[in-house]
Amino acid sequence: MYNKRMSAIFIALFLTLLMVFGVFLTTSVLAVEPEYMDGNDKDLPSEVRALDSYKFDPVPEGTTTRSGITIDVYNTNRGQEFDWDSNRTIAYVFVKGGPGGNLYDYTPGANSGNGLHAPLAPSGDWYGLSHITFYFADEELTGELLITKQFDLNDVEGDVDFPASI
């Protein structure tokens, strides 16, 4: 009886620890320090810009869900902050405010983050949230589109001239 009870307690403790560490491995539990970037989204490094993204512009106050991303924007004594959750893995979050923005690096990827904000303004508070862009870790845009057309030439007799391009 005592061994069964101890085994059950051990299994429950083990499963609890496994779930806690699983959360640490699959989501953003630890704080991510942002890197200040001059300019706008178009000024980000090419490896960031090449990723599929979604932009909240303008940034709504309160809780909003779009494209599988939920943001919760709230006021603090230094300005607006937000927490986020996503059903897709996020590699980067760019938070634009003032003349630049904060780039949060979650690579290889996370599904949530807390306490994100715009860069520091000269006043000592954060700039207002201009827009927030989420860059997905699971899909890269190549900027190329290839369209092919197959022709059935079984009934064609003689020479056929095809244009070099369409």
Side-chain angles (χ1 to χ4, degrees):
M1 172 88 162
Y2 179 75
N3 285 339
K4 284 184 179 181
R5 186 173 181 191
M6 288 302 292
S7 295
I9 291 172
F10 175 76
I11 290 171
L13 181 61
F14 177 76
L15 290 175
T16 301
L17 288 173
L18 186 62
M19 287 187 323
V20 168
F21 285 112
V23 167
F24 277 107
L25 294 174
T26 61
T27 64
S28 172
V29 176
L30 303 174
V32 172
E33 289 297 317
E35 178 183 354
Y36 177 79
M37 306 295 283
D38 282 322
N40 214 322
D41 299 70
K42 66 179 178 49
D43 301 310
L44 294 174
S46 60
E47 65 270 12
V48 175
R49 288 182 290 119
L51 298 173
D52 186 20
S53 64
Y54 183 80
K55 183 187 292 188
F56 286 83
D57 186 10
V59 178
E61 209 168 298
T63 303
T64 305
T65 301
R66 294 185 196 146
S67 284
I69 303 168
T70 300
I71 60 171
D72 182 20
V73 179
Y74 51 91
N75 293 310
T76 70
N77 60 350
R78 297 196 61 197
Q80 288 183 316
E81 287 187 14
F82 69 96
D83 302 335
W84 64 272
D85 290 293
S86 175
N87 61 12
R88 287 178 64 188
T89 305
I90 302 296
Y92 300 93
V93 179
F94 182 65
V95 183
K96 176 73 167 94
N102 281 338
L103 182 63
Y104 291 84
D105 183 344
Y106 289 97
T107 56
N111 294 97
S112 67
N114 297 315
L116 284 71
H117 54 80
L120 191 63
S123 68
D125 292 333
W126 299 312
Y127 282 107
L129 297 173
S130 170
H131 64 264
I132 304 166
T133 308
F134 290 86
Y135 293 90
F136 300 106
D138 58 355
E139 192 172 332
E140 183 175 322
L141 300 177
T142 64
E144 296 179 20
L145 176 63
L146 176 63
I147 300 173
T148 59
K149 174 70 176 157
Q150 294 183 346
F151 296 96
D152 181 7
L153 302 175
N154 291 335
D155 296 333
V156 177
E157 294 180 24
D159 292 334
V160 178
D161 291 327
F162 290 103
S165 64
I166 297 175

